[in-house]
Amino acid sequence: MSVMQFTVQPSSSLGTIALVALVVTGAVLLLLALTTGRRAKTIRRTFAALMIIGLVVIGLGVWLFFASSTPSTITVGSGYVSIQSPGFSGAGNMNITANKIASAYVGQIGSGNLTLSKQHGTNYDHFNVGIFTLGNGATADVVSNNSTDLIIQLSSGEYVILGTSNTNALATSFSQSVYPLNIG
């Protein structure tokens, strides 16, 4: 079986919301610096502080826009599945070999033991990338833009949850190359 690669693309509106919110906040701070900085008794300190904070907030907005638009990649090869995800807004990089897997199946996240509670990362609509706590208390590295996902339980008790726009193709490739899926 050849190596298959799947991409989990974040929602474009996620980065846009962060960009707009932070740039507007930064612009308001810059405006405040220009208006109140002139009237303040300690003109230079107030002006400089508001200008610096305003510029930092605008810079953060621009950085978050580009950071949140970075896709994650899932690679399925012979005996392994590899995940490349941005560490600052996602799960980071992982390589999971067949001997680390206790079970695998396709399931629906969002209810029961598969309820997600974010520890670190991004969750927006069906886009979940990062480290989450499951309804059963276990930790899960999640890279998904779908509610139907490949659920991998590791021998360590932790989970890896992967979902793409075509989770069926991901699950088929995974079951043929890495580890057989439990059915039902």
Side-chain angles (χ1 to χ4, degrees), residues 27-176:
V28 167
L29 288 169
L30 291 177
L31 191 61
L32 265 168
L34 295 173
T35 57
T36 61
R38 292 183 188 154
R39 290 187 235 128
K41 290 183 180 173
T42 55
I43 293 172
R44 286 197 175 118
R45 278 194 204 148
T46 304
F47 178 76
L50 287 172
M51 287 293 283
I52 290 169
I53 293 169
L55 290 172
V56 167
V57 169
I58 290 172
L60 181 63
V62 171
W63 178 78
L64 273 176
F65 175 75
F66 289 108
S68 66
S69 61
T70 304
S72 297
T73 306
I74 302 166
T75 305
V76 178
S78 181
Y80 74 93
V81 61
S82 173
I83 298 105
Q84 286 78 40
S85 181
F88 45 83
S89 65
N93 297 337
M94 293 175 276
N95 190 38
I96 301 152
T97 54
N99 63 349
K100 295 180 183 175
I101 300 171
S103 70
Y105 61 95
V106 174
Q108 293 280 78
I109 58 171
S111 63
N113 284 342
L114 296 179
T115 301
L116 299 179
S117 177
K118 181 176 71 172
Q119 290 180 22
H120 164 79
T122 305
N123 63 327
Y124 178 77
D125 200 18
H126 286 297
F127 181 75
N128 297 292
V129 176
I131 300 168
F132 293 78
T133 302
L134 297 177
N136 64 6
T139 299
D141 291 299
V142 181
V143 176
S144 173
N145 60 0
N146 198 335
S147 61
T148 302
D149 294 309
L150 173 61
I151 315 296
I152 305 168
Q153 183 178 8
L154 303 177
S155 303
S156 66
E158 293 186 2
Y159 287 76
V160 176
I161 299 176
L162 306 173
T164 68
S165 55
N166 191 349
T167 298
N168 191 36
L170 170 65
T172 300
S173 178
F174 178 86
S175 69
Q176 291 172 353

